Amino acid sequence: MIPMKSRKLKVRNLPEMPKQNMINLKPTVILIIMLFIGIAATVLKLYLTAVGLVIIAISIFCIIVMPDRTLAAWNRDYLVLFNNHDRSECMMISWEDIVSWHYERHRGADLLVLSLTDGSSTSQEMYSSLRIRRVMEQYAPGKEKKVSGIRRSL
C-alpha cells in the first residue's frame, strides 16, 4: 500500500489560501451583476421599473440573507474539501493521491467524487461544474472517469 499525503484535519490548521482559489456556495459576483442590472433597468426605462425593483429586491435578499460557505479550495500541492456536516473539519487531498474523479449531476446538488490511491473515495457537494472542472483538469489531468450522463435524484 502506498502511503498517502492526504488527511483529514481541522480548518484552523490549514495554511492561508488565496481567495481566488476558493469555490463558495453563494455566487456573489453574479448577484452583484444582477443588482446593477436591476438598478440600470429601474433608472433607464420607465416601463422596466417594476422588473428592475424585483431584480434589486431579489439580489439584495440573496446577498444579505443567503448563507455562504467555502466548498473547496486549492493550491499547486493539494485540494481541500470542506466538511458539510462538521464545519470545523476538512479533507486535504494531495493531487498525487487522486486516482480518478468525476462530476455527478443531481437535482438538489451536484457531487464531485474523488477516488484515492488507498481505495477510498470522497465526495463534495458542488453547485456549478465549470470552475471545479477547470481546476481538476489543470491539477489532475487525464484522471477524469467518464460516467453515464443519467441524472439521479438525491
Side-chain angles (χ1 to χ4, degrees):
M1 179 180 266
I2 301 170
M4 286 191 4
K5 296 179 185 177
S6 302
R7 62 187 181 276
K8 193 175 274 193
L9 63 140
K10 296 287 185 185
V11 172
R12 68 176 176 266
N13 295 332
L14 277 175
E16 276 298 311
M17 302 291 277
K19 290 287 185 195
Q20 69 269 16
N21 290 356
M22 293 185 175
I23 296 175
N24 290 331
L25 180 62
K26 189 184 330 186
T28 308
V29 173
I30 294 171
L31 292 171
I32 291 172
I33 290 170
M34 282 181 51
L35 179 65
F36 285 121
I37 289 172
I39 292 170
T42 303
V43 172
L44 296 178
K45 302 288 183 183
L46 185 60
Y47 60 89
L48 292 177
T49 302
V51 174
L53 291 175
V54 169
I55 292 173
I56 291 170
I58 291 171
S59 300
I60 290 174
F61 175 80
C62 290
I63 290 170
I64 294 172
V65 176
M66 269 179 58
D68 194 18
R69 62 183 164 91
T70 304
L71 298 174
W74 66 91
N75 64 21
R76 62 182 173 80
D77 297 321
Y78 53 84
L79 171 70
V80 178
L81 300 177
F82 292 90
N83 193 324
N84 294 334
H85 304 293
D86 184 359
R87 303 269 168 88
S88 67
E89 291 183 350
C90 63
M91 179 75 172
M92 189 168 82
I93 301 169
S94 171
W95 294 112
E96 302 160 1
D97 292 340
I98 299 174
V99 174
S100 66
W101 65 273
H102 67 274
Y103 193 86
E104 294 179 2
R105 294 186 182 279
H106 299 280
R107 286 188 188 132
D110 297 345
L111 287 176
L112 172 67
V113 181
L114 304 172
S115 297
L116 306 176
T117 55
D118 68 348
S120 67
S121 68
T122 186
S123 63
Q124 174 68 36
E125 284 184 359
M126 292 287 164
Y127 295 91
S128 175
S129 67
L130 184 64
R131 190 155 182 218
I132 193 65
R133 280 186 184 275
R134 221 175 319 147
V135 169
M136 296 304 291
E137 288 168 0
Q138 178 182 356
Y139 291 103
K143 296 182 179 182
E144 182 177 9
K145 182 170 75 173
K146 300 293 181 190
V147 294
S148 66
I150 300 170
R151 290 183 183 240
R152 291 173 285 225
S153 62
L154 286 178

